[in-house]
Amino acid sequence: MESTRNRLIHILNKNEGYQSGQELSDQLGISRTAVWKHMKELEKDGYEIEAVQRKGYRIVSSPDKISENTIQWGLKTKWMAGQLHHFEEVSSTQEIAHQLAKQGKPHGTVVIADQQLSGKGRMERPWDSPKGKGIWMSMLLRPKLPPIQAPQLTLLTATVLAEVIEQKTGLKPQIKWPNDILIQHKKMAGILTEMQAEQDQIQYVVIGTGLNINQKAEDIAQEIHYKATSLLMETQEEWGIQDFIQSLLVQFEETYDRYIEEGFQHVKQKWETYGYKIGEEVEITTLRKSWKATLLGIEPDGALRARDREGNEEKLYSAEIHWGEGGYHA
Ligand code: BTN
C-alpha cells in the first residue's frame, strides 16, 4: 500500500495548478491539519511548496536528490515509468528488472539506481556505475513482437539516447554499431538488451542504459581513459541527472509508440544520421575472422551491412568494429 505521503505527492504532481486543502483531505482520507503537516515534512525534504489562501497547495520544485517522486514530478508520459523503482544501491538494475518482470509488473516499469555494485555490460563485461555520477536505468517492456525484432529495440534506444544528449548539450554524439554512444570517439553510454521469449513472441525485454554523466577524469579507471568519457568531461559542466532521466523517458515513449505504429524505417534513418564510421573503412572482427570493410548502414532487421575490399557485401549480426592505428576499439 502506497504511503499517504507518496499519494499526496502523486496527486500534486499529476495535477497542474493548486489543490485545495479540502480536496486533498477528501482524496487522502485525512484531516486538513494532517495535510498541512505532510506539506511541512515535504519542505524539510527539499520540496518547495507554495500555499495560497483559498487556492491551496502546489509543488514549485522538487529536491535534487533522485527519488521515485522527484522523477515522476512533472513527468509527461502515458505509460513509461508508470511504475518506477528507485534504489540508492543495487547489484544491477537489470537483475531487479528481471525479478519485477517475473512478478508480472507492467510494460513501462523502470528501475533506477544511484549506484550499482555489479553493473553488467555486454559480453559479460563489468559496467562501472559510481554513486550519483550517471544514469543506471533498466526499462521493462512487453512488446507484442517476434524475438527476431528485439535488436531493433536496441537500435531504437541508441537513437533516443543520442537525440536527448544532442538536444540537451548541443554535442553531436555518434552511435557505434550496434549501440555504443560515442562522443569525440570515446564511449559515453552503453545499452544492454536482455530478452525472455517464446518461439514466436517476446515475453518481455529489459533494456539497460548506462550513461556516464558527471564523472571527472579521476572517477574513470586510468586504463580506459583512452576510450571512455562522460558528459562532464566533454562539456566541463555538471548535468542534472533527474532532468536527463525525464527527457529520456519521454523521448523513449514517443519513439517507441511511433515504431510500434509505423515500423522501423524512421528509427533506421535516425540511427544512420548518428551512425559512426558509416561510409568509412574499418576493421571488423567476428568469432571466425577479421577483415577490412566499408560500413554501409543498417538493415531493416538491425543487422550491419558492410562491403569488403573485393566488393562483397555482408550482413552482420554480431561483430566488433575497430579502427585507427593500433586496431583501437571502444
Ligand atoms: C555496454 O555497453 O556494455 C552496456 C552497458 C549497460 C549498462 C547498464 S547500467 C543500467 C543497467 N544495469 C546493468 O547492470 N547494466 C545496464
Side-chain angles (χ1 to χ4, degrees):
M1 174 72 186
E2 210 184 352
S3 71
T4 306
R5 194 192 139 133
N6 280 358
R7 283 167 59 213
L8 172 62
I9 294 170
H10 194 72
I11 297 169
L12 290 168
N13 281 346
K14 285 288 155 199
N15 298 292
E16 281 174 16
Y18 298 88
Q19 292 286 297
S20 76
Q22 191 57 52
E23 280 166 349
L24 291 169
S25 121
D26 290 346
Q27 288 186 54
L28 297 168
I30 57 174
S31 69
R32 290 180 62 168
T33 317
V35 170
W36 181 82
K37 282 188 183 149
H38 276 292
M39 295 297 175
K40 292 289 138 202
E41 288 302 309
L42 287 181
E43 281 178 346
K44 279 191 204 150
D45 278 357
Y47 282 88
E48 199 184 326
I49 311 263
E50 193 182 24
V52 176
Q53 259 196 351
R54 280 191 292 275
K55 278 186 167 176
Y57 301 96
R58 108 188 147 89
I59 295 181
V60 179
S61 69
S62 56
D64 283 346
K65 200 171 164 320
I66 288 184
S67 72
E68 282 148 34
N69 288 323
T70 58
I71 295 168
Q72 276 176 336
W73 187 72
L75 180 66
K76 300 232 173 339
T77 54
K78 296 189 282 286
W79 52 265
M80 179 47 102
Q83 279 203 25
L84 184 70
H85 301 261
H86 168 260
F87 300 88
E88 286 186 4
E89 188 184 281
V90 289
S91 53
S92 153
T93 55
Q94 291 293 101
E95 273 172 31
I96 311 255
H98 281 288
Q99 286 162 13
L100 295 173
K102 293 194 171 107
Q103 291 165 18
K105 296 290 186 219
H107 177 71
T109 297
V110 170
V111 182
I112 295 186
D114 295 342
Q115 178 176 19
Q116 298 187 111
L117 300 177
S118 19
K120 296 196 288 178
R122 287 172 61 234
M123 326 251 197
E124 312 282 316
R125 293 183 187 129
W127 182 263
D128 196 28
S129 323
K131 191 176 177 67
K133 301 279 180 187
I135 299 178
W136 325 125
M137 171 167 94
S138 298
M139 301 177 281
L140 166 63
L141 302 174
R142 297 187 181 277
K144 292 190 178 59
L145 296 173
I148 193 165
Q149 274 178 254
Q152 294 183 344
L153 293 173
T154 310
L155 299 171
L156 180 153
T157 308
T159 66
V160 169
L161 263 52
E163 275 191 295
V164 170
I165 293 165
E166 184 174 12
Q167 279 159 16
K168 293 223 167 285
T169 65
L171 296 170
K172 181 83 186 164
Q174 293 198 290
I175 309 173
K176 184 164 90 79
W177 186 86
N179 50 23
D180 288 349
I181 307 292
L182 309 184
I183 295 180
Q184 303 288 3
H185 309 282
K186 292 184 176 183
K187 181 159 168 175
M188 186 237 127
I191 300 163
L192 176 66
T193 302
E194 296 175 314
M195 167 174 71
Q196 193 74 31
E198 277 152 24
Q199 195 100 45
D200 51 3
Q201 163 86 51
I202 294 177
Q203 257 175 12
Y204 72 83
V205 178
V206 173
I207 302 185
T209 58
L211 287 84
N212 296 334
I213 306 280
N214 287 327
Q215 282 103 325
K216 301 196 174 110
E218 61 263 31
D219 299 319
I220 290 186
Q222 188 70 39
E223 61 274 20
I224 57 169
H225 269 185
Y226 72 98
K227 63 172 182 178
T229 192
S230 73
L231 272 193
L232 183 147
M233 286 162 73
E234 296 303 318
T235 60
Q236 279 35 273
E237 245 182 271
E238 279 225 9
W239 294 88
I241 289 200
Q242 191 158 292
D243 183 48
F244 238 98
I245 295 172
Q246 288 188 333
S247 303
L248 287 173
L249 295 172
V250 169
Q251 182 78 20
F252 188 93
E253 180 181 274
E254 224 176 274
T255 313
Y256 179 92
D257 282 349
R258 183 163 174 210
Y259 162 72
I260 295 295
E261 225 164 79
E262 297 175 18
F264 187 61
Q265 186 57 21
H266 70 101
V267 177
K268 173 172 153 48
Q269 274 170 4
K270 197 47 56 73
W271 195 98
E272 284 172 347
T273 66
Y274 290 109
Y276 187 65
K277 299 273 173 196
I278 301 293
E280 292 181 43
E281 190 178 79
V282 297
E283 174 98 13
I284 298 178
T285 306
T286 63
L287 283 178
R288 289 173 292 118
K289 56 177 182 167
S290 203
W291 72 103
K292 287 209 170 17
T294 304
L295 299 183
L296 300 178
I298 50 168
E299 295 286 312
D301 62 358
L304 181 69
R305 179 168 284 278
R307 187 177 51 228
D308 70 14
R309 285 182 165 178
E310 282 70 54
N312 307 312
E313 288 188 17
E314 200 168 342
K315 276 174 77 171
L316 297 161
Y317 288 90
S318 171
E320 293 267 334
I321 293 160
H322 316 249
W323 67 93
E325 293 283 305
Y328 160 60
H329 63 100

